[in-house]
Amino acid sequence: MSNVSLRGLKKSYGSVEVIPSLDLDIRSGEFVVLVGPSGSGKSTLLRMIAGLESIDAGTVSVEGEDVTQRDPGDRDMAMVFQSYALYPHMTVAENMTFALRMRGMDKTTIGERLTESVRMLSLEGLEHRKPGQLSGGQRQRVAMGRAIVRQPRVFLFDEPLSNLDAKLRARTRIELRELHEKLGATSIFVTHDQIEAMTMADRIVLLEKGRIQQVGSPREIYERPRNTFVASFIGSPEINMMEGKLWFDNGTAWFEQLVLRSRGSESASLAGVAAGGYTLGIRPEGFDIAREPLEGSVPMVVGAVEYTGSDTYAFGKSPMGDLTVKIAADFQAVAETLHTGETLHVKALADGWHLFDSSGERVTGG
Amino acid sequence: MNRSRVGGLLANSVVWGYALMILGPTLWVLSNAFKFKIDIITGATLSPFTWMNFQELLFSRQSDFLANLFNSALIGVVSTAIVIIAATMAAFTLAYLEVKPWVRWAILGWALLFHMLPTLTFVGSWYLMYSSIGLHGTYFAVIMTHAVHNLPMALFLMVSFVGALPRELIQAARMDGCTYAQVFWRIVFPLVRGGMIAATALTFIFSWSDFAISLTLTSRDTMTVPVAIATFAQEYDIRYGEMAAGTLLSIMPALLLILVGQNFIVRGLLAGAVK
Ligand SMILES: Nc1ncnc2c1ncn2[C@@H]1O[C@H](COP(=O)(O)OP(=O)(O)O)[C@@H](O)[C@H]1O
Ligand SMILES: [Mg+2]
């Protein structure tokens, strides 16, 4: 269990700057998820922490100890790869004990650790199979087992669930989290899947083009996105983004035809914000829906209705652009009779909106 | 007749035509090995059977064929060993260590170019080089030259076999505490063994059948089989029978290697394809 600290990390491939300069502190025992779109440098960063990738500048320290110049094998970190990277010519047991054997650990300890990990991951009876004779899910567990037997200071995961089918992925997510609670080791988990990030992380680090966009708990990131990129990346269906003018009328704040309210005193969160051009973000659940026009609502012509079982979403066109709106549970009766072409009236819930300036930075909201 | 039948017929005739071009001369040579000289010259198809050509070839005073076989084997084995070890290690270096891209392309590009140039353009210079340092006619000269000559092909083969291994496999081994040397011996080597055997078979056959280099660089003591066979064709007397018998004997090891190697080429390729 150790804290990991990254200082001024830089990496370029030729003239392509993948990580411009990155600082990050990961607490001891924390489960941190590095999330971002494909090509944002997550794997590169993870490999830099692991020592598999050369570093142009900066340091990686574990528990205050600078490990930047150490070999990957001497950092006491274990990694689970997206492709699992099991050694095809070794059995499950040989795969799992390889690192221990390389360290010259004594046979009894190796045996004990193997038995324990095999039991923990329910791999009993598969010890003598080769990876080629295992299912995808089993291979994934062996890859986890290979990391666990080492009892490392830090676990590194590079999209270890992305080759599993949806059902297994959801289950493995929970199992992995449970395993983390049990082992309590510092874990850095890379994924491009925001749902994985939201469900598994103690803290999310959102990366784009090698730059950290925001660091925070899933709740912080969802409820107070620092910029339009974060707001759009996290949340499904995606947040509605509208460009337009903010104006004030007798103490009421308007964004084009929408009224913006806050809980507590009206438009308190907008105090001191100047009128002008902004970007407004409203999540699908941030709308109030009515059949009749309300003050500060916009009409929306329903184009499609999507029923997912637990939720219903309406997609449609409004004067402020295309909108995705979640139909609230108390409006379900409407949802059942709702059909294409019908007009609904939607308005922003108090504090259900986020205001960003022209450069995409958060101004206020939610 | 529909189109697919015409196509089938065409494909068949191409295959048979090709086979005829190869099999015809081969069969002719093979049958000559068991004929008396007079029957070969008169072109008799059905003629008495004899082992005489083999006896002459292997045991007569005028022939050093057993020594030639030994030379070919020695030169083939040693140069192939050098080539395969160098090619596999170079392939690992090129594929997984931090080699600058231009260095990688320069090496592979040069290898390809070198392999495309006719051997004959080089043999003259090699002859002069070895003569000037007094090494002409030694095993060393032929072995080194065969190694240099066959390395590009083996390098290309091994780069494709080694490069087919998933990069994450090497990274996993690094995480598990392997040095690059240990990665090579414990992970890469066992997984490309099939490819190595295939490359070994091909390299050995190239060395075994080489004529131009061996002709230029060997002396009487180090002469290889193909050169020896060629010496049977003298100005006034072409010893067809012994040539044929020599060819037949020299085909044997190559044939054996192709049979073994083919199996491994297929398996090696499959091993690369399956994660
Ligand atoms: N070995 C490499 N050589 C050159 N460019 C690379 C290499 N590895 C990654 N990149 C580039 O670095 C960027 C980040 O890649 P990566 O870390 O794999 O992203 P992610 O894991 O977030 O999808 C990408 O633009 C990719 O093309
Ligand atoms: Mg990646």
Side-chain angles (χ1 to χ4, degrees):
Chain A
M1 224 205 261
S2 320
N3 60 321
V4 177
S5 151
L6 314 178
R7 285 283 165 274
L9 280 192
K10 285 186 193 179
K11 176 78 189 174
S12 304
Y13 289 113
S15 62
V16 184
E17 205 175 42
V18 179
I19 311 281
S21 178
L22 187 141
D23 295 276
L24 182 65
D25 282 300
I26 294 159
R27 293 190 275 270
S28 189
E30 195 175 26
F31 197 105
V32 164
V33 175
L34 287 177
V35 67
S38 184
S40 55
K42 310 178 295 288
S43 299
T44 305
L45 181 58
L46 199 69
R47 287 200 303 269
M48 285 162 80
I49 298 172
L52 293 169
E53 197 87 57
S54 67
I55 291 178
D56 295 345
T59 56
V60 177
S61 347
V62 181
E63 248 163 35
E65 211 179 325
D66 187 343
V67 299
T68 319
Q69 299 306 323
R70 289 216 202 140
D71 250 19
D74 298 333
R75 297 188 179 202
D76 206 3
M77 299 179 178
M79 186 151 168
V80 180
F81 294 86
Q82 180 169 10
S83 66
Y84 312 142
L86 301 177
Y87 311 122
H89 58 304
M90 297 184 196
T91 63
V92 168
E94 285 166 347
N95 261 284
M96 286 174 61
T97 55
F98 184 66
L100 306 183
R101 286 183 284 132
M102 289 307 295
R103 275 171 185 69
M105 190 177 275
D106 68 276
K107 280 219 167 66
T108 354
T109 320
I110 293 182
E112 282 165 13
R113 290 226 195 152
L114 178 66
T115 318
E116 191 190 333
S117 308
V118 162
R119 190 174 39 76
M120 214 185 288
L121 292 162
S122 328
L123 285 168
E124 289 99 341
L126 302 176
E127 292 95 327
H128 301 295
R129 296 230 194 131
K130 294 267 178 75
Q133 303 163 305
L134 301 177
S135 72
Q138 289 167 335
R139 278 182 219 182
Q140 202 273 341
R141 307 171 92 79
V142 176
M144 300 269 302
R146 194 168 60 177
I148 287 170
V149 285
R150 288 183 47 192
Q151 304 181 352
R153 290 198 288 188
V154 180
F155 282 104
L156 307 173
F157 301 92
D158 193 353
E159 313 221 9
L161 309 183
S162 61
N163 287 336
L164 302 177
D165 62 60
K167 228 178 186 158
L168 195 55
R169 197 180 319 150
R171 210 170 68 209
T172 313
R173 228 155 54 197
I174 294 166
E175 284 172 2
L176 221 161
R177 222 15 258 217
E178 282 171 358
L179 214 58
H180 173 73
E181 303 299 338
K182 206 171 336 177
L183 301 173
T186 311
S187 302
I188 308 176
F189 186 102
V190 161
T191 179
H192 66 272
D193 180 351
Q194 52 108 6
I195 303 212
E196 256 167 45
M198 292 295 283
T199 52
M200 297 179 75
D202 290 328
R203 261 196 320 158
I204 292 177
V205 176
L206 213 155
L207 217 60
E208 195 218 14
K209 298 205 178 89
R211 285 178 211 276
I212 294 182
Q213 300 297 318
Q214 191 167 354
V215 181
S217 69
R219 187 171 286 276
E220 277 162 11
I221 296 233
Y222 189 77
E223 293 180 357
R224 301 186 72 80
R226 200 200 273 163
N227 56 38
T228 47
F229 177 81
V230 176
S232 300
F233 189 80
I234 301 285
S236 170
E238 210 175 289
I239 192 168
N240 298 287
M241 287 291 185
M242 295 155 262
E243 281 178 24
K245 285 225 159 10
L246 178 74
W247 52 284
F248 296 92
D249 176 41
N250 270 337
T252 306
W254 292 79
F255 189 85
E256 301 289 327
Q257 294 114 286
L258 280 172
V259 171
L260 302 185
R261 290 187 202 286
S262 307
R263 285 184 223 107
S265 66
E266 290 220 335
S267 63
S269 62
L270 280 163
V273 177
Y278 290 91
T279 302
L280 184 73
I282 303 182
R283 297 207 184 271
E285 69 273 21
F287 289 104
D288 209 356
I289 308 163
R291 290 270 193 203
E292 303 304 325
L294 309 164
E295 195 214 5
S297 73
V298 290
M300 175 179 112
V301 181
V302 176
V305 178
E306 203 175 87
Y307 175 70
T308 67
S310 56
D311 298 311
T312 308
Y313 294 94
F315 302 87
K317 289 197 187 312
S318 80
M320 301 191 60
D322 290 348
L323 293 181
T324 306
V325 174
K326 182 177 168 183
I327 311 279
D330 55 7
F331 213 65
Q332 278 301 326
V334 175
E336 274 160 34
T337 59
L338 201 60
H339 49 80
T340 309
E342 206 171 326
T343 302
L344 287 176
H345 296 270
V346 299
K347 63 178 238 183
L349 284 175
D351 284 336
W353 46 270
H354 307 271
L355 196 68
F356 304 96
D357 65 19
S358 53
S359 60
E361 294 300 309
R362 174 184 194 82
V363 177
T364 182
Chain B
M1 244 198 277
N2 61 30
R3 277 174 64 164
S4 75
R5 281 196 51 194
V6 176
L9 218 64
L10 205 71
N12 261 320
S13 49
V14 167
V15 170
W16 282 110
Y18 183 74
L20 205 66
M21 296 269 295
I22 295 179
L23 286 178
T26 310
L27 286 177
W28 183 72
V29 168
L30 293 189
S31 67
N32 280 356
F34 304 100
K35 286 179 189 170
F36 288 103
K37 187 167 180 181
I38 183 73
D39 293 322
I40 298 172
I41 291 170
T42 56
T45 323
L46 290 170
S47 49
F49 177 90
T50 177
W51 286 109
M52 197 195 75
N53 292 321
F54 289 92
Q55 279 164 9
E56 280 288 314
L57 182 73
L58 296 174
F59 308 118
S60 95
R61 283 282 200 71
Q62 298 158 30
S63 163
D64 286 331
F65 201 75
L66 284 175
N68 301 141
L69 275 173
F70 172 79
N71 290 342
S72 276
L74 179 73
I75 292 167
V77 167
V78 178
S79 71
T80 303
I82 295 172
V83 164
I84 295 303
I85 291 170
T88 310
M89 292 192 162
F92 177 65
T93 309
L94 288 176
Y96 297 109
L97 304 192
E98 287 202 12
V99 179
K100 292 222 157 39
W102 71 266
V103 175
R104 182 174 304 147
W105 291 118
I107 290 176
L108 290 178
W110 164 245
L112 189 66
L113 193 71
F114 180 72
H115 196 57
M116 279 164 62
L117 294 171
T119 314
L120 279 172
T121 47
F122 292 96
V123 290
S125 333
W126 284 331
Y127 175 82
L128 289 177
M129 276 166 59
Y130 285 117
S131 297
S132 67
I133 51 172
L135 286 175
H136 175 264
T138 58
Y139 287 123
F140 178 83
V142 200
I143 287 172
M144 278 340 241
T145 314
H146 274 189
V148 167
H149 185 251
N150 293 333
L151 189 58
M153 177 205 61
L155 183 63
F156 261 91
L157 278 175
M158 290 320 296
V159 162
S160 74
F161 284 125
V162 174
L165 294 179
R167 187 163 272 271
E168 292 195 337
L169 212 55
I170 288 33
Q171 296 179 339
R174 292 281 292 150
M175 291 301 291
D176 279 347
C178 288
T179 61
Y180 277 112
Q182 286 168 324
V183 173
F184 181 80
W185 288 112
R186 289 174 167 264
I187 309 294
V188 175
F189 180 71
L191 291 176
V192 298
R193 208 152 41 191
M196 275 174 90
I197 291 173
T200 304
L202 281 177
T203 308
F204 183 81
I205 289 166
F206 273 40
S207 167
W208 184 264
S209 61
D210 162 73
F211 180 69
I213 296 172
S214 305
L215 178 68
T216 324
L217 296 182
T218 56
S219 64
R220 212 179 154 68
D221 290 338
T222 51
M223 187 184 287
T224 60
V225 171
V227 183
I229 291 174
T231 62
F232 293 138
Q234 284 145 0
E235 207 167 333
Y236 303 108
D237 177 25
I238 301 181
R239 288 148 67 190
Y240 287 112
E242 274 119 305
M243 279 177 86
T247 307
L248 190 60
L249 285 181
S250 79
I251 285 176
M252 291 302 173
L255 216 57
L256 206 71
L257 275 175
I258 287 172
L259 288 180
V260 175
Q262 204 177 35
N263 188 13
F264 274 99
I265 288 179
V266 173
R267 255 201 278 168
L269 287 175
L270 283 181
V274 181
K275 263 205 285 214

